[in-house]
Amino acid sequence: MDRRLRHLLDGGFKLRHLQLITAIANNGTLVGAARDLYVTQPVVTRGLREAEEILGVKLFDRGPRGVSPTPFGALLLEHAGMILSSMERLAENIDHLQRSGTRPIRVGTNMTGSYAVLPRALVSLKAAHPALKVSVVEGTDDTLHELLAHRQLDLLIGRMMSKSPQEVTQLHLYDEPIRVMARNGHPALDMTDLRPEDLAAFPWVLPPPTAVASRLGSLFGEVGSWVPVNVIECTSILTIRSILRVTDSLAPLPMLVGTSDADLRMLPLELDAVPRQLGLAYSAENDLSDSAELFIEHLLEVARTIEGELAEARSDAE
């Protein structure tokens, strides 16, 4: 057995070392770490020295303004974050399982998943299992996939990845087109033979750089006057809808948003290049809990209902 692995497993390297090293990195000083951990600076110094001796590498470089992680320290911090978050989730799961008999679920979602399928699935799930705790985390695609990779999410609902990592399983829910939305009475609604370049002069509300935003950008071209210059970046459908209703802004939104909001209209412009597959993602390396399996059952049932609504909406729009 490798010496480092032997020392990591023989009980000498402890969770308190990970907490201490994380506190040092967060503060940039040993004094700050000691303050956060409610210990003295000598305790922090001794703990850091112990960790470095066990691992056989230097974890921090000391400078006039504090300390900064070495490449070894950065590597350890990456794993420390995953280990500590896993321990926090373990404590949460034990507590909830003890009180309710069920394991909590953490579901990640982006703008696409948060407005229809997720709320309906949660309502259905909680009606059948009131004691089951579900935490919802919203964010950008990159942030959510990082959380999923670090096991800080059980499930992720959003646009499907064209190339799924081997450690992630994807399950297709339904296809929903993205359409350009505008307020009732918007000048663009009166335009005939509408082309993308006709819309570049209007204000836009766009998601941060994602598959949707990048594909939409290709619709206008990469350079020249076709590219919108008056842009707000936003991932909140509630905020986007509020902006659209009182301005001449345009925004790419899921089709059902336009059909369910009397204040918004869909422009007659197809966005076929924009990803439309909505799916569920979860770790392929870990078994799903019974709670997560229950949630997926309700999610699939709701997805089938939405699929029928979308077929009707597409028929009405033609």
Side-chain angles (χ1 to χ4, degrees):
M1 181 183 294
D2 181 82
R3 179 185 62 82
R4 287 193 182 88
L5 179 59
R6 185 171 62 252
H7 285 319
L8 285 172
L9 298 179
D10 67 5
F13 197 84
K14 305 180 186 299
L15 282 176
R16 66 176 178 84
H17 288 117
L18 297 180
Q19 293 172 315
L20 182 145
I21 291 162
T22 301
I24 294 173
N26 289 340
N27 283 276
T29 66
L30 302 188
V31 174
R35 182 179 60 248
D36 280 2
L37 296 173
Y38 300 101
V39 297
T40 63
Q41 182 178 341
V43 171
V44 173
T45 302
R46 184 168 61 253
L48 175 58
R49 185 170 61 250
E50 290 173 356
E52 291 179 329
E53 289 176 354
I54 291 171
L55 294 173
V57 294
K58 187 178 181 181
L59 298 175
F60 290 93
D61 287 322
R62 290 144 178 89
R65 296 188 177 182
V67 298
S68 58
T70 65
F72 299 108
L75 180 62
L76 178 59
L77 286 165
E78 180 182 332
H79 287 271
M82 291 187 286
I83 294 169
L84 293 175
S85 64
S86 294
M87 295 304 294
E88 290 172 3
R89 290 211 62 198
L90 173 61
E92 178 189 5
N93 287 347
I94 291 175
D95 181 61
H96 195 71
L97 184 61
Q98 188 175 37
R99 288 188 288 108
S100 69
T102 61
R103 288 176 57 177
I105 313 169
R106 286 176 62 87
V107 181
T109 188
N110 55 22
M111 181 175 66
T112 307
S114 64
Y115 83 97
V117 66
L118 178 57
R120 294 196 207 179
L122 291 175
V123 169
S124 175
L125 176 71
K126 293 295 284 185
H129 306 279
L132 203 161
K133 178 183 175 182
V134 183
S135 300
V136 177
V137 179
E138 292 193 49
T140 62
D141 292 344
D142 290 343
T143 299
L144 293 172
H145 283 292
E146 184 176 350
L147 292 174
L148 184 66
H150 289 171
R151 302 182 184 179
Q152 293 177 313
L153 293 176
D154 297 299
L155 305 167
L156 173 56
I157 300 172
R159 295 283 161 184
M160 295 186 68
M161 296 177 287
S162 57
K163 293 183 179 180
S164 175
Q166 186 175 1
E167 63 272 13
V168 174
T169 297
Q170 289 195 111
L171 181 64
H172 178 254
L173 297 177
Y174 55 84
D175 290 355
E176 179 174 12
I178 296 290
R179 300 292 294 271
V180 177
M181 305 288 177
R183 64 172 175 81
N184 285 324
H186 193 285
L189 295 169
D190 297 325
M191 293 180 176
T192 57
D193 299 324
L194 191 63
R195 300 168 300 171
E197 56 264 37
D198 297 326
L199 304 179
F202 289 106
W204 280 78
V205 186
L206 297 172
T210 61
V212 170
S214 61
R215 298 286 182 87
L216 187 68
S218 67
L219 185 71
F220 293 94
E222 297 301 328
V223 295
S225 60
W226 291 15
V227 181
V229 294
N230 186 352
V231 173
I232 296 174
E233 285 191 353
C234 182
T235 59
S236 165
I237 285 187
L238 180 62
T239 301
I240 294 172
R241 290 163 100 165
S242 298
I243 294 172
L244 295 188
R245 287 169 181 156
V246 298
T247 70
D248 283 341
S249 297
L250 303 171
L253 290 171
M255 187 175 187
L256 280 183
V257 174
T259 61
S260 62
D261 191 327
D263 295 328
L264 299 182
R265 296 273 303 279
M266 291 184 291
L267 298 185
L269 183 68
E270 295 294 332
L271 301 178
D272 292 334
V274 176
R276 60 178 62 194
Q277 291 187 320
L278 190 76
L280 170 71
Y282 54 89
S283 173
E285 299 175 340
N286 302 297
D287 292 334
L288 291 171
S289 67
D290 292 342
S291 298
E293 296 278 9
L294 281 173
F295 177 81
I296 292 175
E297 290 178 15
H298 288 265
L299 183 69
L300 293 177
E301 184 176 348
V302 169
R304 285 190 288 269
T305 300
I306 291 178
E307 203 166 24
E309 295 173 3
L310 282 167
E312 184 178 344
R314 282 191 288 265
S315 177
D316 292 343
E318 293 174 352

